[in-house]
Amino acid sequence: VTGLAWTSVGGEILYIESLFTKGSGHIQTTGKLGDVMKESAQIAVSLVKSLFPEKADQFKENDLHIHVPEGAVPKDGPSAGVTMTTAIASLVTGIPFPANWAMTGEVSLRGAVTAIGGLPEKLLAAHRAGVSKVFIPEENLEDLRDVPEEVKNAMEIVPISDVTQLLSYAEILPVENTELERKAG
């Protein structure tokens, strides 16, 4: 699944991969992830388990590997939770996510998509990569004023406030499940 990241030199495309292998429920993250990204991965796993309880056995019978390629470039920051959640949801359902769509946003345990920084740079990176649709936090809508019109006109920008909106839009989650009430501890 294609995510968007901010770096000191501007926006970047950030690919997130997930894979099940036979095992006992161990979760492994690789790709020079910082503590914030590791926490995002844990939240994403918990959220997917709550959204797809019928798939719970997959997490018990397999080990889950989440990988963020790009060599030795350190990655940390609160904006990959939506992408990790989508990658894992796609894996457990077997429904592929469109390769020319991208997203950015952090996600809470209840599925709320929260604001991120660097939206103009991230959208420029998406534009350079030929992305046709980008999902952004609804809370970042006013940041679109800092994005060149050429970039905004080149792709569909979809604001979301909950990860279930994104998963339903991609047909990974049935529409009737978008109003699920998740219990928060």
Side-chain angles (χ1 to χ4, degrees):
V1 173
T2 305
L4 301 170
W6 181 90
T7 69
S8 59
V9 295
E12 300 256 343
I13 294 293
L14 185 73
Y15 298 104
I16 296 184
E17 303 172 335
S18 58
L19 177 71
F20 275 136
T21 56
K22 283 294 177 199
S24 58
H26 176 74
I27 299 168
Q28 178 179 5
T29 57
T30 54
K32 297 277 284 183
L33 304 183
D35 289 341
V36 173
M37 293 259 306
K38 288 178 184 174
E39 288 176 6
S40 293
Q42 292 172 336
I43 290 169
V45 169
S46 294
L47 186 53
V48 169
K49 286 179 179 179
S50 76
L51 289 170
F52 301 96
E54 71 281 5
K55 306 285 187 182
D57 287 347
Q58 290 185 39
F59 290 95
K60 291 178 189 170
E61 299 165 359
N62 296 288
D63 291 342
L64 173 63
H65 189 153
I66 302 166
H67 180 58
V68 184
E70 298 306 315
V73 177
K75 290 164 275 305
D76 203 23
S79 67
V82 171
T83 314
M84 289 184 179
T85 302
T86 303
I88 298 166
S90 175
L91 175 68
V92 301
T93 62
I95 300 169
F97 191 82
N100 62 336
W101 293 5
M103 66 199 70
T104 185
E106 194 48 76
V107 68
S108 75
L109 271 175
R110 297 187 60 122
V113 176
T114 59
I116 48 85
L119 184 64
E121 294 85 358
K122 291 175 179 182
L123 291 179
L124 285 167
H127 177 62
R128 284 191 309 268
V131 169
S132 66
K133 188 181 309 272
V134 179
F135 296 87
I136 66 167
E138 194 171 81
E139 293 178 10
N140 284 99
L141 275 174
E142 69 180 51
D143 294 334
L144 288 174
R145 71 178 181 273
D146 299 327
V147 178
E149 289 300 316
E150 166 189 330
V151 172
K152 290 189 281 194
N153 293 333
M155 65 185 92
E156 183 180 354
I157 299 171
V158 181
I160 55 172
S161 60
D162 193 281
V163 73
T164 59
Q165 294 169 316
L166 167 60
L167 296 176
S168 294
Y169 200 97
E171 299 180 356
I172 292 173
L173 183 68
V175 174
E176 64 268 13
N177 290 356
T178 60
E179 300 301 320
L180 287 177
E181 288 191 35
R182 290 176 293 282
K183 295 180 182 177

